[in-house]
Amino acid sequence: MLSTCRALALAATLAATLGAATAPKPTSLCDGGLLAILNRPTIGFSTCAVARHRFVGEFGVQNTVDAAGSNVSVGQGFLRYGLGHGFEADINGPNLVTGSTLPAAGLQDLGVGLKWQFLDRSTLGGAFDLLQNFPTAAAGVTLGAPSTTFNLDLATALGARAGLGLTIAAIDTSGFSKSGRRERYLALQPSMALTDLLTPRFQAYLEGVALSQTAPGAPGAFTIDGGFQYEATPTLELDIEAAQSTSAGVPSHYLGMGFGIAI
């Protein structure tokens, strides 16, 4: 994990040394193209809604390792369609999970969502997300009950190159308590991400995420993640990510990569 972080830091330093450029001042934070519009690879969400009649797909793969073993998620699909007037419709999925700490492998629960971008200025952005997942997956993979997430997304520009994003998520979901009974619980998940546009098409980010509880009555978790995004073309973005998490004193980490495509 440390070697991965050093490699990411070295790549950022090299990119900045070779030629960080100042982009023209945008009229909207969302004028940054896919680098601004995509939710991934951060845990927090973008404030930018997809333009009317446009489609954006986000996909990735992630490997998570802790003391108990390792798990892989493939797909991490998030499909977005612009409805106009700051609204977009979303489909959360598909995502295939498998690994040594899971009781079974298979596709996770699917969900639908809606984003409303209520603030769109040159230095400020704001949006709400409502995501509803359903227990569509097989036993051993499904949550076993519906799960609802409500996000408040805020963003601001920090000069010509840097930006700061904040997502406050309220998650109504279910899990197993220490007694083994399934119970519903509410978790809060604030996250803050700092981005730096190293070149007009290459961006680095660093994010901190706190989760109030991971199961009914269970301790929360804290995650620090970072990575890079590269806009290969105006309709294709590539990314890599790395993270370190701690929950109840137990560490874990993940590595991932993915892409976003606009049509």
Side-chain angles (χ1 to χ4, degrees), residues 162-179:
L164 184 67
L166 172 68
T167 292
I168 301 175
I171 307 169
D172 177 26
T173 186
S174 68
F176 291 99
S177 64
K178 291 183 179 180
S179 63

Side-chain angles (χ1 to χ4, degrees), residues 134-232:
F134 303 96
T136 59
V141 181
T142 180
L143 285 176
S147 177
T148 305
T149 300
F150 180 75
N151 292 344
L152 168 62
D153 312 313
L154 299 171
T156 184
L158 302 176
R161 288 175 32 186
L164 184 67
L166 172 68
T167 292
I168 301 175
I171 307 169
D172 177 26
T173 186
S174 68
F176 291 99
S177 64
K178 291 183 179 180
S179 63
R181 293 194 314 169
R182 179 178 293 280
E183 299 178 10
R184 296 205 66 83
Y185 68 99
L186 178 66
L188 297 178
Q189 183 175 264
S191 61
M192 181 176 291
L194 177 66
T195 60
D196 187 10
L197 197 62
L198 303 174
T199 77
R201 296 165 60 185
F202 188 49
Q203 177 172 280
Y205 80 91
L206 182 66
E207 181 182 35
V209 185
L211 179 62
S212 62
Q213 55 181 328
T214 57
F222 183 76
T223 301
I224 296 179
D225 62 296
F228 299 99
Q229 298 169 267
Y230 175 64
E231 191 176 75

Side-chain angles (χ1 to χ4, degrees), residues 126-139:
F128 292 116
D129 296 294
L130 180 62
L131 303 170
Q132 181 67 53
N133 275 34
F134 303 96
T136 59

Side-chain angles (χ1 to χ4, degrees), residues 35 38 41 202 228-232 236-240 258-260:
L35 293 179
L38 293 184
F202 188 49
F228 299 99
Q229 298 169 267
Y230 175 64
E231 191 176 75
L236 176 64
E237 179 262 17
L238 309 173
D239 63 67
I240 58 173
F259 67 94

Side-chain angles (χ1 to χ4, degrees), residues 10-246:
L10 178 61
T13 303
L14 179 60
T17 304
L18 289 177
T22 301
K25 186 176 180 180
T27 58
S28 163
L29 288 180
C30 302
D31 288 345
L34 286 179
L35 293 179
I37 294 171
L38 293 184
N39 294 318
R40 66 163 299 114
T42 57
I43 295 173
F45 276 40
S46 168
T47 62
C48 302
V50 175
R52 186 184 183 197
H53 295 166
R54 296 296 301 273
F55 168 83
V56 169
E58 306 183 22
F59 306 93
V61 58
Q62 190 177 93
N63 183 53
T64 302
V65 180
D66 59 22
S70 64
N71 299 320
V72 176
S73 60
V74 180
Q76 297 187 313
F78 199 75
L79 311 178
R80 307 165 62 187
Y81 181 76
L83 301 175
H85 304 289
F87 286 92
E88 74 171 44
D90 306 318
I91 296 177
N92 185 14
N95 186 46
L96 174 67
V97 293
T98 183
S100 59
T101 68
L102 298 175
L107 290 172
Q108 288 187 308
D109 295 337
L110 295 175
V112 295
L114 184 70
K115 177 189 286 287
W116 174 43
Q117 184 179 0
F118 63 84
L119 181 61
D120 182 19
R121 298 180 181 174
S122 61
T123 58
L124 290 173
F128 292 116
D129 296 294
L130 180 62
L131 303 170
Q132 181 67 53
N133 275 34
F134 303 96
T136 59
V141 181
T142 180
L143 285 176
S147 177
T148 305
T149 300
F150 180 75
N151 292 344
L152 168 62
D153 312 313
L154 299 171
T156 184
L158 302 176
R161 288 175 32 186
L164 184 67
L166 172 68
T167 292
I168 301 175
I171 307 169
D172 177 26
T173 186
S174 68
F176 291 99
S177 64
K178 291 183 179 180
S179 63
R181 293 194 314 169
R182 179 178 293 280
E183 299 178 10
R184 296 205 66 83
Y185 68 99
L186 178 66
L188 297 178
Q189 183 175 264
S191 61
M192 181 176 291
L194 177 66
T195 60
D196 187 10
L197 197 62
L198 303 174
T199 77
R201 296 165 60 185
F202 188 49
Q203 177 172 280
Y205 80 91
L206 182 66
E207 181 182 35
V209 185
L211 179 62
S212 62
Q213 55 181 328
T214 57
F222 183 76
T223 301
I224 296 179
D225 62 296
F228 299 99
Q229 298 169 267
Y230 175 64
E231 191 176 75
T233 73
T235 59
L236 176 64
E237 179 262 17
L238 309 173
D239 63 67
I240 58 173
E241 57 177 339
Q244 181 74 43
S245 297
T246 303

